[in-house]
Amino acid sequence: MLARRIIPCLDVKNGRVVKGKNFKDIQDVDDPARLGKYYSDSGADELVFYDITASNEERKTSLEFVKKVAHEINIPFSVGGGVSTIDDFKFILRSGADKVSVNSSAVRNPNLIKEAAERFGNQCVVLSIDAKKNEEGSWSVYVKGGREKTTLDAVQWAVKGVELGAGEIVVNSIDEDGMKNGYDLELLKKITDAVNVPVIASGGAGKMEHFLQAVKYADADGILAASVFHFGEIKISDLKKYLKENGIEVRI
């Protein structure tokens, strides 16, 4: 059995790590390189950095913080936000990131996934999906940091993304983001059942039990969280011990 990954998520705005609820009410947390090093030293398996206002502000990801993070940590990390061209992939990977996450730009131009996978390999291409439940009982894909609804169905988009070459899917629940009530297990399960690449759960972790549910019920390969790690509510070492005691393979 493959070890499940514990992945702190660091949302970056104006060069600082921030956190909100339902993609709103943003609060300042820390410096990305300093917090990244702390997580790297604390046993995190990977890190994810999102430049959360880059797409909405129609600008590129800040490469400065990417370089600083790469200098400080020794675990894989991915970067997303404002990625819209093959050159963006190239510059981010050259700055030290291991993977590049696309969201809004991939919705606008799905061929970007295909081109990036062909040039850099599927393992470097992460499709991040911001999803919110709709009145029909399915989930709509949102872009521009959760600000704009699209006509895409989240499960169908995940399948399409993998067909195009995405090597990993991150499922961000807008409904559960920052609420600490648990992941959207129903959505996660639908996506893990539909695709054959690793799926990362994101949005909703409030206690250790939620991480366990994401693996046991929805078969998530990685479990991503922000608030509970940033504010010291859950320690990664304690979480890994808890998961191992409950039969989940993790790297200790």
Side-chain angles (χ1 to χ4, degrees):
M1 186 191 294
L2 282 175
R4 308 296 169 141
R5 290 171 281 155
I6 304 301
I7 309 171
C9 175
L10 296 89
D11 291 340
V12 179
K13 181 180 182 183
N14 301 325
R16 297 283 295 174
V17 176
V18 297
K19 188 67 194 95
K21 287 184 181 179
N22 307 121
F23 287 33
K24 299 172 188 171
D25 304 325
I26 305 297
Q27 294 180 343
D28 184 81
V29 179
D30 206 339
D31 171 74
R34 184 164 58 232
L35 199 54
K37 184 179 189 309
Y38 167 76
Y39 287 134
S40 179
D41 294 344
S42 299
D45 297 297
E46 289 185 21
L47 295 175
V48 172
F49 292 85
Y50 289 130
D51 191 336
I52 59 169
T53 56
S55 290
N56 191 55
E57 293 169 3
E58 297 183 350
R59 62 173 172 78
K60 304 299 184 188
T61 297
S62 166
L63 295 179
E64 204 51 49
F65 88 80
V66 178
K67 290 173 184 171
K68 286 178 182 173
V69 167
H71 184 70
E72 291 290 345
I73 71 173
N74 56 9
I75 56 174
F77 73 101
S78 64
V79 173
V83 177
S84 58
T85 68
I86 290 296
D87 277 347
D88 293 337
F89 271 82
K90 181 175 75 177
F91 293 138
I92 290 171
L93 292 169
R94 278 186 181 171
S95 295
D98 300 272
K99 306 175 191 177
V100 178
S101 178
V102 287
N103 186 335
S104 302
S105 57
V107 171
R108 281 195 308 271
N109 173 25
N111 210 44
L112 179 63
I113 300 172
K114 187 170 184 286
E115 289 175 28
E118 287 172 354
R119 178 136 175 210
F120 305 108
N122 306 68
Q123 78 285 351
C124 289
V125 184
V126 180
L127 176 59
S128 180
I129 300 175
D130 293 342
K132 187 177 173 71
K133 201 157 195 178
N134 55 38
E135 286 120 18
E136 290 80 50
S138 56
W139 289 262
S140 298
V141 173
Y142 281 68
V143 294
K144 294 189 176 178
R147 294 170 181 84
E148 191 177 296
K149 184 180 179 181
T150 74
T151 57
L152 291 173
D153 173 84
V155 180
Q156 292 172 4
W157 176 227
V159 172
K160 177 72 173 172
V162 172
E163 286 173 356
L164 287 165
E168 189 166 276
I169 304 287
V170 176
V171 183
N172 308 303
S173 169
I174 296 174
D175 296 307
E176 298 300 339
D177 175 65
M179 301 308 291
K180 301 184 181 178
N181 296 321
Y183 296 97
D184 189 332
L185 298 176
E186 189 184 357
L187 171 60
L188 270 174
K189 181 84 166 65
K190 285 183 182 294
I191 291 180
T192 57
D193 285 348
V195 302
N196 61 354
V197 300
V199 174
I200 311 301
S202 171
K207 50 188 179 180
M208 294 193 203
E209 183 186 342
H210 296 150
F211 291 81
L212 183 63
Q213 290 168 347
V215 177
K216 284 212 162 177
Y217 178 81
D219 198 27
D221 295 87
I223 318 106
L224 182 151
S227 302
V228 291
F229 295 145
H230 294 345
F231 302 120
E233 294 161 39
I234 295 177
K235 286 188 176 176
I236 292 171
S237 56
D238 293 342
L239 175 59
K240 286 192 168 185
K241 185 181 175 193
Y242 167 81
L243 291 172
K244 201 161 186 69
E245 286 170 353
N246 282 275
I248 305 301
E249 186 66 33
V250 290
R251 296 181 192 90
I252 299 291

